[in-house]
Amino acid sequence: MANKRIVLSSDHSALELRAAVAAHVTSLGWEVVDIGPTSTESTHYPTHGQAAAERVVSGECALGIIICGTGQGIMMAANKVAGIRCGVCSDTFSARMIRQHNDANMLSMGARVIGVGLALDIVEAFLSAEFEGGRHATRVAMIEPTA
Ligand code: RB5
């Protein structure tokens, strides 16, 4: 891992969960770069997904965690940024596998889908897994943008 900095963002639906994730990730020894928002006023998930993605592709942060109501919209927005591989997870198996097989550099979750306990387990599974390379590297290269 290039560094132990992780960017966190969400839309208005996930401020509480994002705060819990930030505390947990910090307790696991990561430096959290929380780019907001800080208000529960309705906002637009693409803005926050893309802003977090930019922190990852720039190299400032090694990984990112983003949250919206379902996790789906903010994941779609992040994946539009070249170099981002982001998956939505509602289970720990998928969270581990998107690191091991897909070299995911961002995790998305749905604050209206899962509870805080499961979300923190998912985060831990994502952060503790490592990309296995080998045949998976060939496949990951095949999903990189072509120009
Ligand atoms: C906001 O109401 C909601 O649409 C958003 O959080 C997310 O679920 C979109 O994918």
Side-chain angles (χ1 to χ4, degrees):
M1 203 59 46
N3 60 58
K4 283 208 88 177
R5 259 191 312 280
I6 186 158
V7 59
L8 301 191
S9 193
S10 72
D11 72 1
H12 54 277
S13 69
L15 266 63
E16 267 185 39
L17 180 56
R18 198 179 85 231
V21 167
H24 195 58
V25 167
T26 302
S27 79
L28 295 173
W30 287 76
E31 180 189 340
V32 168
V33 179
D34 189 329
I35 60 168
T38 53
S39 155
T40 52
E41 197 176 317
S42 184
T43 182
H44 304 304
Y45 59 81
T47 308
H48 306 293
Q50 285 165 9
E54 296 292 351
R55 302 291 183 117
V56 174
V57 294
S58 72
E60 178 190 346
C61 296
L63 296 172
I65 299 177
I66 50 179
I67 315 171
C68 68
T70 59
Q72 302 291 351
I74 203 164
M75 173 274 290
M76 292 177 198
N79 275 323
K80 293 289 182 188
V81 177
I84 290 300
R85 292 174 301 279
C86 181
V88 182
C89 293
S90 298
D91 66 276
T92 55
F93 177 76
S94 299
R96 194 167 69 247
M97 295 305 285
I98 64 169
R99 287 286 307 127
Q100 289 180 347
H101 286 193
N102 312 116
D103 199 17
N105 47 16
M106 293 187 79
L107 165 69
S108 180
M109 296 183 291
R112 295 173 179 157
V113 180
I114 56 175
V116 64
L118 178 55
L120 300 186
D121 280 357
I122 287 170
V123 165
E124 209 162 317
F126 178 74
L127 294 181
S128 57
E130 293 199 2
F131 183 47
E132 291 176 358
R135 69 185 189 283
H136 304 298
T138 306
R139 294 164 186 165
V140 168
M142 290 168 71
I143 56 172
E144 283 305 295
T146 43

